[in-house]
Amino acid sequence: MARLREFDENKALDAAILLFSEKGYEATSLSDLTAKMGIQRPSIYAAFGDKKELFERALRKYTQSRTAYIRTRLANHSSVKEAFRAFFNSLVASQYGEGPNCGCFCTNTIVELAPHDEKFEIITREHEMYLAVIFQETIERGIQSGELKEGLNARALAQTFVVHMVGLNVLMKSRPERAFVDNSITSILSLLDAS
């Protein structure tokens, strides 16, 4: 008879997400993982596979939950302009708080692993494409409501916002002056007023 797992896989995976977000793949040891996840190595291997498989599971869980969160966040504003302003401002505000500046787990993976690991290149690219679709749908909602001009290229602008978001996530690791970042957000959002 198989033994029941004595830990919550979702909680353990959430702990791995936090650790990988903070330290990255290479700098995270199995000892770090067992301490943070509260389980022993045999349990990690049995539930998640090796470190790379655990990292992939953690990344996939993160991108799925992050995509759902962003979709909901943008949909909860009647104004598309205000939805994007609140979204970009929240990305920035979260990085000026107390505690470690972990940034975005997916963006960190783009920088650390995607350049030399095809699997993570594909996973991170898929996430970028999902976000572009969400952004495009939001922009199209603004065009349909009359808030945004009809001539706006929703697809190109959505992709531009994804590029800006990823770049912003990388930049925020160094905690630049707030005015520097705020000015860039104001500039990128001005594209919503273009025709």
Side-chain angles (χ1 to χ4, degrees):
M1 180 181 215
R3 266 184 80 183
L4 291 174
R5 292 214 168 104
E6 297 175 358
F7 64 92
D8 183 323
E9 274 193 36
N10 277 323
K11 286 183 181 176
L13 205 50
D14 288 341
I17 288 170
L18 289 173
L19 187 59
F20 283 133
S21 294
E22 184 179 342
K23 297 184 78 171
Y25 176 76
E26 292 296 337
T28 300
S29 69
L30 276 171
S31 297
D32 294 332
L33 288 165
T34 58
K36 187 77 169 178
M37 296 170 75
I39 57 178
Q40 298 306 310
R41 287 182 189 207
S43 296
I44 289 177
Y45 292 131
F48 305 107
D50 64 16
K51 177 181 158 184
K52 191 170 185 180
E53 290 170 315
L54 171 60
F55 187 90
E56 181 182 347
R57 287 252 325 255
L59 181 61
R60 286 187 186 280
K61 181 177 184 192
Y62 175 86
T63 57
Q64 289 168 0
S65 65
R66 187 73 181 146
T67 302
Y69 168 79
I70 291 170
R71 182 182 294 281
T72 300
R73 184 174 179 94
L74 291 174
N76 283 340
H77 283 269
S78 56
S79 164
V80 166
K81 290 179 183 179
E82 285 310 308
F84 279 114
R85 183 174 313 286
F87 170 70
F88 280 112
N89 284 337
S90 73
L91 288 180
V92 173
S94 67
Q95 298 305 314
Y96 285 108
E98 296 295 319
N101 187 4
C102 298
C104 169
F105 183 19
C106 188
T107 301
N108 295 347
T109 304
I110 290 170
V111 173
E112 182 184 13
L113 296 179
H116 48 268
D117 190 309
E118 186 178 8
K119 178 181 281 188
F120 294 107
E121 176 190 340
I122 291 167
I123 293 169
T124 56
R125 187 182 320 123
E126 286 173 350
H127 183 61
E128 294 159 10
M129 289 167 40
Y130 292 144
L131 290 177
V133 168
I134 293 168
F135 290 171
Q136 182 175 342
E137 289 171 353
T138 306
I139 293 164
E140 287 169 348
R141 177 167 54 92
I143 294 169
Q144 290 167 359
S145 73
E147 181 184 3
L148 304 178
K149 295 178 182 171
E150 277 192 34
L152 206 58
N153 185 334
R155 184 170 187 259
L157 184 53
Q159 292 169 348
T160 301
F161 279 6
V162 171
V163 170
H164 186 72
M165 182 196 74
V166 172
L168 190 59
N169 282 331
V170 173
L171 182 70
M172 292 309 300
K173 300 287 277 182
S174 68
R175 286 197 172 120
E177 285 185 24
R178 185 65 186 261
F180 184 93
V181 177
D182 288 344
N183 288 337
S184 78
I185 291 172
T186 299
S187 265
I188 202 79
L189 291 177
S190 72
L191 295 174
L192 290 168
D193 295 318
S195 57

